[in-house]
Amino acid sequence: GGREDRYMLTRNVSVAVCIYALLRLAAVALDDAIPLFMSTPRVDGGLGMRSQQIGGALLSQGAFLILHVLILFPMIKARMGTLSFFRFAGFLVPLACVYLPFLSSLPQSWEGGPGMWLPILAFFLLKSFAFGGAFTAVTILINNSAPPAVIGAVHGVSQAAVALTSAVAPALAGSVFSWSLQNGLGFPLDHHFAFFLFAATSLGMMGLSYVLSPSVQYRFAAPPAPAPAVAALGG
């Protein structure tokens, strides 16, 4: 009814949806930029990896996500609570974005050996935990931000927002990364720039998490309806 509809316009709903949209923007943009960076020749600031090597590196994410979902997320969330866990995972998101472009500084003599693969696998472990944790936690926060009567509509709005950022992200990642390779500028506007931009986006998401009410950690509890007036007795 109309009484429930007003809960779609609360601060918690609006902020949680914005956080979800920004998180998806950073995730899709980073996923789009990773193979571009890995396949870029080392002389241009990339890793100069072959397609088979890139495929193997990307495949490792699946194993790390299973580890995260089955073991790490339940264990850590039980200790920290949903909102605190989101902030913890969200802090790791910009860290993962910033970490990746510095892999191009690895000595070329390490190419193909453990000196190259261990830092790359460490990146994918960090990325899987950061984004996997943040996505799981923000979904719970959205579920907790409104009563069950309107949560379907809230998810509809959040999916529309996410569809928009998911559509923008690949073009943003590709164009910014291409510009960073061709501009002839030094650090941080060289091949690092796109990843620093993704990190800045996720820092904005982290800032928004501090606008959320602590009540969003728990299932939504609407304030009780006012009691009906009782006619006075006696005379």
Side-chain angles (χ1 to χ4, degrees), residues 14-26 86-87 90-91 93-95 97 138 195-212:
S14 302
V15 173
V17 168
C18 288
I19 288 173
Y20 188 26
L22 288 174
L23 178 61
R24 181 58 67 92
L25 176 66
F86 171 77
R87 289 172 179 160
F91 169 77
V93 168
L95 192 61
C97 294
V138 78
F195 302 98
F196 289 177
L197 182 63
F198 308 154
T201 301
S202 54
L203 286 175
M205 169 199 78
M206 275 293 295
L208 283 175
S209 74
Y210 289 91
V211 181
L212 290 169

Side-chain angles (χ1 to χ4, degrees), residues 64 99 117-127:
F64 293 143
Y99 174 95
W117 280 104
L118 288 177
I120 289 174
L121 292 177
F123 162 74
F124 281 110
L125 176 62
L126 175 62
K127 175 181 177 291

Side-chain angles (χ1 to χ4, degrees), residues 122-201:
F123 162 74
F124 281 110
L125 176 62
L126 175 62
K127 175 181 177 291
S128 299
F129 181 82
F131 282 98
F135 272 119
T136 307
V138 78
T139 302
I140 296 172
L141 295 177
I142 290 174
N143 281 334
N144 292 348
S145 67
V150 298
I151 199 62
V154 169
H155 276 293
V157 172
S158 71
Q159 291 304 314
V162 161
L164 176 63
T165 55
S166 297
V168 169
L172 174 69
S175 58
V176 173
F177 185 70
S178 176
W179 175 82
S180 71
L181 296 182
Q182 298 173 17
N183 61 29
L185 302 174
F187 181 87
L189 297 177
D190 54 3
H191 66 277
H192 298 82
F193 178 69
F195 302 98
F196 289 177
L197 182 63
F198 308 154
T201 301

